[in-house]
Amino acid sequence: MQYKGAIFDMDGVLFDTERIYQETWQEIAARQDITLDGSFLRAISGTNGAHMCRVIEKYYHVPDGKDIMERCMEQVRQKLSVYVPMKKGVRDILDYFRKNDIGIAVASSSAVQQIEANLQMSGIRDYFSVIVSGSEVNQGKPEPDIFLLAAKRLHYAPEECFVFEDSENGIRAGYAAGCFTVMVPDLLEASSEIQPYCRKICSDLEQAVREIIRM
């Protein structure tokens, strides 16, 4: 099949920002004398909206997770206003797709203002013709809505698009959408449960572009 679109998650794929989120979740928990166990990272990664709130409510033992979610997002925004660390291989793969007339999109659970700010600060905004935020869809990852919308805005069928994700929730969403899923693990390695949903698993985006060139 001729692939025509490339859809990137942002945190943990384009930018080394997932660590900042996890540090912030832990800081908020510590101030409330809460210890987040190891399963929190896998549960929260790649989520947004109602799904994220349910995870927060479970691990922070609160009836409504919205306040903690908004607190975390604001603190992360402040940190990223100073510096946005880019992941290895980002410019390589973006240059490859642009030279080969592949449409490029971001589909992130983050707010659109944060997506725009990160892309502008890192100097890669011009590569992306489409930006989709989790606030624009009814259901966040692991549901496929965000990738279906990104493919639609690229004017390609989902089956014609790559999806690059670091989280299991994101991979499940890309798989459900029918896209070619490429997992680039960040804080968590690919579990045995998620591997069947990955068309490729790459250590970084430099490896990902080499694998795509060979296809």
Side-chain angles (χ1 to χ4, degrees), residues 26-90:
Q26 293 289 347
E27 289 165 4
I28 294 171
R31 287 196 290 269
Q32 299 181 206
D33 294 321
I34 294 169
T35 299
L36 300 174
D37 66 39
S39 64
F40 174 78
L41 173 56
R42 197 177 297 277
I44 201 77
S45 294
T47 65
N48 73 302
H51 189 95
M52 179 178 282
C53 283
R54 301 297 86 78
V55 174
I56 292 168
E57 289 157 13
K58 174 182 176 182
Y59 286 88
Y60 287 78
H61 314 295
V62 293
D64 187 348
K66 186 177 180 181
D67 177 66
I68 291 175
M69 177 178 69
E70 291 178 348
R71 214 183 314 162
C72 178
M73 298 305 144
E74 176 56 30
Q75 291 178 28
V76 170
R77 276 195 293 272
Q78 293 175 10
K79 294 174 182 179
L80 294 179
S81 68
V82 178
Y83 174 62
V84 181
M86 193 181 299
K87 297 284 281 187
K88 181 180 179 182
V90 169

Side-chain angles (χ1 to χ4, degrees), residues 82-101:
V82 178
Y83 174 62
V84 181
M86 193 181 299
K87 297 284 281 187
K88 181 180 179 182
V90 169
R91 288 191 180 275
D92 293 332
I93 200 164
L94 295 178
D95 282 336
Y96 173 80
F97 285 140
R98 184 156 67 178
K99 289 175 184 175
N100 287 275
D101 296 319

Side-chain angles (χ1 to χ4, degrees), residues 4 23 41-43 58 69 82 94 121 125 144 173 175 181 183:
K4 300 176 181 178
E23 289 169 2
L41 173 56
R42 197 177 297 277
K58 174 182 176 182
M69 177 178 69
V82 178
L94 295 178
M121 180 170 284
R125 176 62 180 88
Y175 182 89
T181 51
M183 189 170 191

